[in-house]
Coordinates of all heavy atoms in Angstrom, one line a residue:
I99 N 157.8 63.5 142.1 CA 157.7 64.7 143.0 C 159.0 65.5 143.1 O 160.1 64.9 142.9 CB 157.3 64.2 144.4 CG1 156.8 65.4 145.3 CG2 158.4 63.4 145.1 CD1 156.0 64.9 146.5
K100 N 158.8 66.8 143.2 CA 160.0 67.7 143.4 C 159.4 69.0 144.1 O 158.2 69.1 144.3 CB 160.7 68.0 142.1 CG 160.0 69.1 141.2 CD 160.9 69.5 140.1 CE 160.4 70.7 139.4 NZ 161.4 71.3 138.6
G101 N 160.4 69.8 144.5 CA 159.9 71.1 145.1 C 161.0 72.0 145.4 O 162.2 71.8 145.1
T102 N 160.7 73.2 145.9 CA 161.6 74.2 146.3 C 161.8 74.3 147.8 O 162.6 75.2 148.3 CB 161.2 75.6 145.7 OG1 160.0 76.0 146.3 CG2 161.2 75.5 144.2
G103 N 161.0 73.6 148.5 CA 161.2 73.6 150.0 C 159.9 73.0 150.7 O 158.9 72.7 150.0
G104 N 160.1 72.8 152.0 CA 159.0 72.1 152.7 C 159.1 70.6 152.5 O 160.1 70.0 152.1
T105 N 158.0 70.0 152.9 CA 157.9 68.5 152.8 C 156.6 68.1 152.3 O 155.6 68.9 152.3 CB 158.1 67.8 154.2 OG1 157.1 68.3 155.1 CG2 159.5 68.1 154.8
V106 N 156.5 66.9 151.8 CA 155.2 66.3 151.4 C 155.0 65.0 152.1 O 155.9 64.1 152.1 CB 155.1 66.1 149.9 CG1 153.9 65.3 149.5 CG2 155.0 67.4 149.1
D107 N 153.9 64.9 152.9 CA 153.6 63.7 153.5 C 152.7 62.9 152.6 O 151.7 63.4 152.0 CB 152.8 63.9 154.8 CG 153.6 64.5 155.9 OD1 154.9 64.4 155.8 OD2 153.0 65.0 156.9
L108 N 152.9 61.6 152.5 CA 152.0 60.7 151.8 C 151.2 60.0 152.9 O 151.7 59.3 153.8 CB 152.8 59.6 151.0 CG 151.9 58.6 150.2 CD1 151.0 59.3 149.2 CD2 152.7 57.6 149.6
Q109 N 149.9 60.2 152.8 CA 149.0 59.6 153.8 C 148.1 58.5 153.1 O 147.6 58.8 152.1 CB 148.1 60.6 154.5 CG 148.9 61.7 155.2 CD 148.0 62.8 155.8 OE1 146.8 62.9 155.5 NE2 148.6 63.6 156.7
I110 N 148.0 57.4 153.8 CA 147.1 56.3 153.4 C 146.0 56.2 154.5 O 146.4 55.9 155.6 CB 147.8 55.0 153.1 CG1 149.0 55.2 152.2 CG2 146.8 53.9 152.6 CD1 148.7 55.6 150.8
D111 N 144.8 56.4 154.1 CA 143.7 56.3 155.1 C 143.9 57.1 156.4 O 143.7 56.7 157.5 CB 143.4 54.8 155.4 CG 143.1 54.0 154.2 OD1 142.4 54.5 153.3 OD2 143.5 52.8 154.2
G112 N 144.5 58.3 156.2 CA 144.7 59.3 157.3 C 146.0 59.1 158.1 O 146.3 59.9 158.9
E113 N 146.8 58.0 157.8 CA 148.0 57.7 158.4 C 149.2 58.1 157.5 O 149.2 57.7 156.4 CB 148.1 56.3 158.8 CG 147.1 55.8 159.8 CD 147.3 56.3 161.2 OE1 148.4 56.5 161.6 OE2 146.2 56.6 161.8
T114 N 150.1 58.9 158.1 CA 151.3 59.3 157.3 C 152.2 58.0 157.2 O 152.7 57.5 158.2 CB 152.1 60.4 158.0 OG1 151.2 61.6 158.0 CG2 153.3 60.8 157.2
V115 N 152.5 57.6 155.9 CA 153.3 56.4 155.7 C 154.7 56.8 155.1 O 155.6 56.0 155.1 CB 152.6 55.4 154.7 CG1 151.4 54.9 155.4 CG2 152.3 56.0 153.4
A116 N 154.8 58.0 154.6 CA 156.1 58.5 154.2 C 156.1 60.0 154.2 O 155.1 60.7 154.0 CB 156.4 58.0 152.7
T117 N 157.3 60.6 154.4 CA 157.5 62.1 154.4 C 158.7 62.3 153.4 O 159.8 61.7 153.6 CB 157.8 62.7 155.8 OG1 156.7 62.4 156.6 CG2 158.0 64.1 155.7
Y118 N 158.5 63.1 152.4 CA 159.5 63.4 151.4 C 160.0 64.9 151.6 O 159.2 65.8 151.5 CB 158.9 63.2 150.0 CG 158.3 61.9 149.8 CD1 156.9 61.8 149.6 CD2 159.0 60.7 149.8 CE1 156.3 60.6 149.4 CE2 158.4 59.5 149.6 CZ 157.1 59.4 149.4 OH 156.5 58.2 149.2
G119 N 161.3 65.0 151.8 CA 161.9 66.3 151.8 C 162.0 66.7 150.3 O 162.4 65.9 149.5
L120 N 161.7 68.0 150.0 CA 161.7 68.4 148.6 C 163.0 69.0 148.1 O 163.6 69.8 148.8 CB 160.5 69.3 148.4 CG 159.1 68.8 148.7 CD1 158.1 69.9 148.7 CD2 158.8 67.6 147.8
T121 N 163.4 68.6 146.9 CA 164.5 69.1 146.2 C 164.1 69.5 144.8 O 163.0 69.2 144.4 CB 165.7 68.1 146.1 OG1 165.3 67.1 145.2 CG2 166.1 67.6 147.5
D122 N 164.9 70.2 144.1 CA 164.6 70.7 142.8 C 164.8 69.7 141.7 O 164.7 70.0 140.5 CB 165.3 72.0 142.4 CG 166.8 71.8 142.3 OD1 167.3 70.7 142.6 OD2 167.5 72.8 142.0
T123 N 165.0 68.4 142.0 CA 165.1 67.3 141.1 C 164.0 66.4 141.2 O 163.6 66.0 142.3 CB 166.5 66.5 141.4 OG1 167.5 67.4 141.3 CG2 166.7 65.4 140.4
W124 N 163.4 66.0 140.1 CA 162.3 65.0 140.1 C 162.7 63.7 140.7 O 163.8 63.2 140.4 CB 161.7 64.8 138.7 CG 160.9 65.9 138.1 CD1 161.4 66.8 137.2 CD2 159.6 66.3 138.5 NE1 160.3 67.7 136.9 CE2 159.2 67.4 137.7 CE3 158.6 65.7 139.3 CZ2 158.0 68.0 137.7 CZ3 157.4 66.4 139.4 CH2 157.1 67.5 138.6
S125 N 161.9 63.1 141.6 CA 162.2 61.8 142.2 C 160.9 61.0 142.1 O 159.8 61.4 142.5 CB 162.6 62.1 143.7 OG 162.8 60.9 144.3
Q126 N 161.1 59.7 141.6 CA 160.0 58.8 141.5 C 159.8 58.0 142.8 O 160.8 57.5 143.4 CB 160.1 57.9 140.3 CG 158.9 57.1 140.1 CD 158.9 56.2 138.8 OE1 160.0 55.7 138.5 NE2 157.8 56.1 138.2
K127 N 158.6 57.9 143.3 CA 158.2 57.2 144.5 C 157.2 56.1 144.1 O 156.4 56.3 143.2 CB 157.6 58.1 145.5 CG 158.5 59.3 145.9 CD 159.8 58.9 146.4 CE 160.7 60.2 146.7 NZ 162.0 59.9 147.1
T128 N 157.3 55.0 144.8 CA 156.3 53.9 144.6 C 155.8 53.4 145.9 O 156.6 53.3 146.9 CB 157.0 52.7 143.8 OG1 157.5 53.3 142.6 CG2 156.1 51.6 143.5
M129 N 154.5 53.0 146.0 CA 153.9 52.5 147.2 C 153.0 51.4 146.8 O 152.2 51.5 145.9 CB 153.1 53.6 147.9 CG 152.5 53.2 149.2 SD 153.5 52.9 150.6 CE 154.5 54.4 150.7
V130 N 153.1 50.2 147.5 CA 152.2 49.1 147.3 C 151.1 49.2 148.4 O 151.4 49.3 149.6 CB 152.9 47.8 147.4 CG1 151.9 46.6 147.3 CG2 154.0 47.7 146.3
L131 N 149.8 49.2 147.9 CA 148.7 49.3 148.8 C 148.0 48.0 149.0 O 147.8 47.2 148.0 CB 147.7 50.3 148.3 CG 148.2 51.7 148.0 CD1 147.1 52.7 147.5 CD2 148.9 52.3 149.3

Side-chain angles (χ1 to χ4, degrees):
I99 194 164
K100 78 171 193 165
T102 61
T105 59
V106 170
D107 290 343
L108 178 63
Q109 297 177 349
I110 307 296
D111 301 326
E113 298 290 325
T114 299
V115 297
T117 298
Y118 307 111
L120 299 173
T121 67
D122 62 356
T123 303
W124 286 103
S125 176
Q126 188 174 34
K127 308 297 181 186
T128 301
M129 180 71 55
V130 176
L131 303 181

